[in-house]
């Protein structure tokens, strides 16, 4: 039975506050400085010095600016690290605008097909409501970028540079989502009217033509053939002519992207370890690489990341960056703020509880470029962010090992580092999770 708050209860609460000798000091601090500044533990900073026993030299950091492309920047950064070492191009970047264009375009088609697949459900159904909440967005997953590259390739940033809308995506997102919702109305009406599949697809093609035009105006037309001129770090001039985005990837990156797989740590009861999972209605390229995660223990999770770093290759990873982190100092540590001590309340939750109850999910993707191993055990990790060089240590962050335990959810590693048992588990048919499962969160 519901029970309202009584005035007597309020009097008791105030009496409890009045008898606390520290109350006025804390109140003055929090009201003046805010919760984070009042609860920050300076001692925690001394445990996160940017010194690492394994430290890859990956050059300057990139800057995603006012866009949600961290997953894309992080993935392209892992590829440029390899390219930069092979071709002496430390300050080189791949075009995030090029992959952004094709991701938006493919997401539009993916949305239209999901609208058609759920057209027999009322708009009040959870799946339809989920689709309409955000028809498309900037975020994504590693497998989604793989799908884009496998279909469209990649290009140097100099060939398709940033535009206003790629660096500041709010305007194109709101305009494109308006169009997609309007188109959803029409597609659902066509299905309800019994329109033939052929006529529906013809109408969808016209919608996609309009989306293509909008994206070309916003990001520029995507290149199909190009010449690439550059000087390497030794000032040597190079020119490579008549390249395509696919031939550029093959020549300058040359990875077998099927070798790189998503590993997650989700310690919830519905996801037993050493099994794979995918998420319904999550993706971009229809018929392309599906999102697929292998769930493992945190011990396996870390060891896989360490093995890849020891082999000289950086590691794409996804985390909840807003939890217990200082953006300006570039520190992610569980003890950087002591909010529970400040308020004298118990705020502790397990990693599984935070996932199950909506307190945490993957919000950001970055790149692990180093780790500090002491007596064979990791104590802290070096992180390359994509927020420019004005934060952290010239754009690099330090992540404590305890923070990784609590707030890291995904790494991408080469299958060669998996044990035979994990390789077999990764190859299995994935269990399909609901669209709103936290492991479907887009970084």
């Amino acid at each position: 039975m519901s029970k309202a708050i009584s005035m007597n209860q309020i009097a008791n609460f105030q009496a409890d506050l009045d008898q606390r000798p520290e109350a006025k000091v804390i109140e003055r601090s929090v009201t003046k400085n805010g919760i984070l500044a009042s609860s920050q533990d300076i001692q925690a900073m001394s445990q996160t010095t940017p010194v690492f026993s394994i430290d890859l030299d990956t050059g300057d950091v990139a800057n995603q600016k006012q866009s949600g492309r961290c997953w894309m920047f992080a993935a392209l950064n892992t590829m440029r690290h390899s390219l930069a070492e092979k071709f002496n191009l430390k300050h080189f970047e791949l075009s995030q605008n090029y992959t952004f264009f094709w991701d938006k375009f493919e997401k539009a088609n993916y949305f239209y097909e999901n609208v058609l697949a759920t057209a027999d459900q009322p708009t009040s159904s959870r799946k339809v409501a989920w689709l309409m909440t955000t028809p498309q967005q900037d975020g994504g997953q590693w497998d989604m970028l793989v799908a884009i590259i496998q279909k469209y390739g990649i290009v140097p940033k100099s060939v398709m540079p940033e535009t206003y809308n790629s660096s500041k995506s709010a305007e194109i997102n709101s305009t494109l989502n308006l169009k997609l919702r309007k188109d959803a109305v029409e597609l659902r009406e066509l299905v309800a009217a019994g329109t033939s599949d052929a006529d529906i697809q013809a109408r969808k093609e016209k919608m996609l033509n309009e989306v293509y035009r909008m994206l070309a105006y916003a990001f520029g037309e995507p290149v199909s053939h190009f010449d690439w001129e550059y000087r390497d770090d030794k000032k040597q001039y190079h020119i490579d002519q008549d390249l395509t985005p696919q031939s550029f990837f093959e020549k300058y990156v040359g990875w077998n992207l099927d070798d790189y797989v998503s590993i997650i740590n989700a310690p919830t009861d519905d996801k037993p370890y050493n099994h794979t999972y995918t998420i319904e209605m999550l993706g971009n390229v229809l018929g392309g690489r599906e999102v697929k995660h292998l769930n493992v223990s945190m011990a396996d999770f870390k060891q896989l990341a360490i093995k890849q770093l020891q082999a000289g290759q950086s590691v794409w990873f996804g985390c909840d960056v807003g939890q217990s982190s200082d953006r300006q100092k570039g520190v992610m540590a569980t003890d950087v703020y002591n909010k529970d001590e400040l308020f004298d309340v118990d705020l502790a939750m397990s990693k599984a509880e935070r996932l199950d109850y909506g307190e945490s999910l993957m919000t950001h993707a970055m790149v692990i470029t180093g780790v500090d191993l002491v007596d064979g055990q990791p104590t802290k990790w070096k992180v390359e962010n994509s927020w420019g060089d004005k934060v952290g240590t010239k754009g690099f962050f330090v992540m404590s090992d305890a923070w990784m335990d609590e707030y890291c959810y995904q790494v991408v590693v080469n299958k060669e580092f998996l044990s035979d048992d994990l390789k077999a588990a990764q190859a299995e048919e994935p269990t399909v999770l609901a669209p709103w499962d936290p492991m479907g969160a887009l970084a």
Side-chain angles (χ1 to χ4, degrees):
M1 182 176 178
S2 300
K3 187 175 182 180
I5 299 171
S6 70
M7 299 308 294
N8 187 54
Q9 285 177 307
I10 293 175
N12 290 336
F13 300 155
Q14 184 62 46
D16 175 74
L17 183 64
D18 291 341
Q19 60 86 31
R20 292 172 177 264
E22 75 281 4
K24 287 301 180 183
V25 175
I26 296 174
E27 182 180 334
R28 287 194 294 271
S29 177
V30 177
T31 54
K32 171 66 175 178
N33 304 303
I35 294 170
L36 297 185
S38 299
S39 65
Q40 189 171 62
D41 186 351
I42 300 301
Q43 290 298 110
M45 302 297 177
S46 67
Q47 305 301 315
T48 53
T49 53
V51 180
F52 309 90
S53 60
I54 298 175
D55 191 347
L56 307 185
D57 183 6
T58 54
D60 300 333
V61 300
N63 193 342
Q64 68 189 74
K65 298 186 179 178
Q66 296 177 52
S67 72
R69 295 174 292 167
C70 58
W71 62 289
M72 189 175 287
F73 270 73
L76 293 175
N77 283 342
T78 64
M79 295 174 196
R80 78 171 171 87
H81 295 161
S82 172
L83 188 157
E85 182 177 358
K86 190 184 306 182
F87 295 96
N88 296 311
L89 288 169
K90 185 174 290 187
H91 305 291
F92 170 80
E93 282 188 57
L94 293 163
S95 174
Q96 304 92 358
N97 187 29
Y98 176 80
T99 48
F100 205 29
F101 178 101
W102 290 118
D103 179 62
K104 294 284 188 197
F105 184 63
E106 290 286 350
K107 279 177 178 171
N109 184 59
Y110 202 87
F111 173 76
Y112 290 147
E113 290 297 329
N114 279 328
V115 168
L116 292 171
T118 57
D120 60 337
Q121 300 180 29
T123 54
S124 59
S125 84
R126 189 172 184 183
K127 285 185 180 179
V128 174
W130 177 262
L131 283 172
M132 300 308 156
T133 298
T134 312
Q136 64 78 42
Q137 59 173 296
D138 290 355
Q141 288 266 355
W142 169 270
D143 288 323
M144 293 165 66
L145 187 65
V146 169
I148 292 294
I149 294 174
Q150 288 177 333
K151 185 171 182 177
Y152 297 104
I154 54 176
V155 301
K157 188 172 185 175
S158 59
V159 171
M160 190 167 176
E162 291 288 281
T163 69
Y164 174 92
N165 295 287
S166 63
S167 296
K168 191 176 181 180
S169 59
E171 293 175 21
I172 184 61
N173 277 334
S174 62
T175 306
L176 183 54
N177 282 337
L178 168 60
K179 173 176 172 46
L180 294 178
R181 291 187 181 103
K182 180 182 183 299
D183 290 345
V185 175
E186 182 177 351
L187 289 173
R188 287 173 60 86
E189 288 176 346
L190 289 172
V191 172
T195 308
S196 70
D197 289 343
D199 286 345
I200 290 175
Q201 288 299 322
R203 184 64 188 96
K204 192 193 81 168
E205 185 173 346
K206 183 180 179 184
M207 294 172 178
L208 285 170
N209 180 59
E210 293 167 344
V211 170
Y212 187 94
R213 182 169 67 248
M214 292 171 67
L215 295 176
Y217 290 166
F219 300 133
E221 297 174 38
V223 296
S224 58
H225 289 80
F226 61 95
D227 299 336
W228 184 36
E229 289 184 282
Y230 67 94
R231 286 190 182 274
D232 63 25
D233 296 337
K234 299 177 180 179
K235 308 302 182 184
Q236 296 297 309
Y237 171 80
H238 303 267
I239 183 169
D240 201 344
Q241 296 176 301
D242 198 28
L243 290 165
T244 68
Q246 291 85 353
S247 68
F248 175 84
F249 175 81
E250 291 299 325
K251 181 173 181 178
Y252 288 96
V253 178
W255 289 5
N256 179 358
L257 291 172
D258 290 334
D259 287 341
Y260 290 84
V261 296
S262 168
I263 307 297
I264 61 170
N265 174 250
T268 50
D269 290 341
D270 63 328
K271 300 180 190 70
Y273 289 151
N274 301 339
H275 291 284
T276 62
Y277 303 89
T278 189
I279 296 89
E280 184 182 2
M281 299 199 300
L282 177 65
N284 52 2
V285 179
L286 204 67
R289 171 97 162 235
E290 73 169 346
V291 173
K292 183 180 180 181
H293 305 308
L294 171 62
N295 195 21
V296 303
S297 69
M298 202 63 206
D300 286 339
F301 186 95
K302 292 180 186 179
Q303 283 306 307
L304 289 169
I306 291 170
K307 286 179 181 179
Q308 187 151 300
L309 290 170
Q310 289 173 328
Q313 190 172 345
S314 55
V315 179
W316 186 102
F317 81 108
C319 65
D320 190 356
V321 72
Q323 298 274 5
S324 196
S325 65
D326 186 317
R327 177 190 180 112
Q328 198 58 41
K329 292 183 174 66
V331 171
M332 299 177 288
T334 54
D335 54 355
V336 71
Y337 302 111
N338 290 317
K339 300 177 189 177
D340 48 356
E341 291 182 9
L342 177 70
F343 290 110
D344 191 22
V345 294
D346 183 1
L347 298 175
M349 297 178 74
S350 70
K351 190 174 189 178
E353 288 169 341
R354 286 192 294 270
L355 287 171
D356 282 338
Y357 287 85
E359 172 57 25
S360 183
L361 45 67
M362 190 170 73
T363 61
H364 190 54
M366 297 178 282
V367 184
I368 300 173
T369 62
V371 62
D372 198 28
L373 298 176
V374 178
D375 297 326
Q377 297 301 312
T379 61
K380 58 183 183 287
W381 305 73
K382 184 181 179 183
V383 173
E384 178 183 342
N385 206 341
S386 55
W387 291 346
D389 60 5
K390 304 303 183 196
V391 294
T393 305
K394 295 183 178 179
F396 288 88
F397 281 36
V398 179
M399 171 173 61
S400 76
D401 190 61
W403 196 93
M404 174 180 264
D405 286 336
E406 298 299 327
Y407 301 115
C408 281
Y409 298 111
Q410 184 179 10
V411 291
V412 170
V413 299
N414 194 304
K415 286 190 291 190
E416 69 176 302
F417 301 115
L418 272 61
S419 67
D420 289 342
D421 287 345
L422 289 181
K423 285 178 182 176
Q426 198 282 327
E428 73 179 11
E429 193 70 20
T431 298
V432 180
L433 304 173
W436 40 86
D437 188 274
M439 288 302 105
L442 300 182

